[in-house]
Amino acid sequence: MARNYLSSTLSNRCPRCREGKLFVKSNPYDFSNITTMNEHCPVCGQPTEIEIGFYYGTGYVSYALTVAYFVSMFVAWKVLIGMTWDQDDNRIFYWLGSTIFLLILIQPILMRLSRSLWISWFVKYNNNWKNETNRYCDNNINM
């Protein structure tokens, strides 16, 4: 059964077949291999780097995810804990400190998610990929 777009993107799967893993290691906190991707999808053979410098655009995606994270944390903090703009209210600094700390912790996940989103916008899902001749397949990919 094929995964849907959201689950395949969040689990860093190939956008063409939605089965193969994009990254060599599954652990985003393995800092030596944080952005090391398979050259081709191990399932369908789709190249993961379509052209040189393909992933430069992921900086914009990562920025948008970070802004969305900051806004959602601000709204959650404002609703759950509350804060005012009074001079004696330091809760905004607690929000800022905790948000930045958590952002540092989830940054490897955001980096991988931005790459997964970026490639999914350029490579479309093909539910008939098994029956088509694979133009990406070379001798070192087992099908």
Side-chain angles (χ1 to χ4, degrees):
M1 182 175 135
R3 299 171 185 253
N4 63 21
Y5 175 77
L6 184 63
S7 70
S8 67
T9 304
L10 291 176
S11 60
N12 298 318
R13 301 290 177 164
C14 171
R16 182 173 178 236
C17 65
R18 294 184 180 168
E19 294 176 20
K21 293 183 177 181
L22 290 175
F23 295 93
V24 174
K25 303 282 184 171
S26 296
N27 183 7
Y29 294 100
D30 180 8
F31 295 121
S32 60
N33 296 310
I34 197 167
T35 58
T36 306
M37 299 179 75
N38 294 315
E39 288 184 29
H40 294 84
C41 171
V43 176
C44 70
Q46 169 69 38
T48 56
E49 187 154 353
I50 298 172
E51 61 187 24
I52 296 173
F54 175 69
Y55 290 104
Y56 287 153
T58 60
Y60 299 108
V61 178
S62 183
Y63 176 75
L65 290 173
T66 302
V67 169
Y69 165 74
F70 263 85
V71 169
S72 63
M73 287 294 287
F74 181 80
V75 169
W77 191 279
K78 181 88 171 146
V79 169
L80 297 174
I81 297 173
M83 71 176 83
T84 62
W85 301 107
D86 292 339
Q87 191 171 10
D88 296 334
D89 189 8
N90 291 329
R91 287 180 282 187
I92 194 160
F93 297 113
Y94 295 128
W95 163 78
L96 190 61
S98 62
T99 303
I100 290 173
F101 176 74
L102 289 174
L103 179 65
I104 291 169
L105 290 180
I106 66 168
Q107 188 59 38
I109 296 169
L110 291 179
M111 287 173 60
R112 285 187 169 206
L113 180 60
S114 64
R115 282 184 172 232
S116 181
L117 283 168
W118 188 255
I119 194 170
S120 73
W121 294 336
F122 292 96
V123 177
K124 298 302 175 203
Y125 173 65
N126 184 356
N127 60 355
N128 199 25
W129 67 268
K130 290 180 184 176
N131 299 330
E132 293 179 359
T133 57
N134 192 350
R135 62 183 172 180
Y136 307 114
C137 187
D138 55 6
N139 294 334
N140 53 359
I141 296 176
N142 298 326
M143 298 306 234

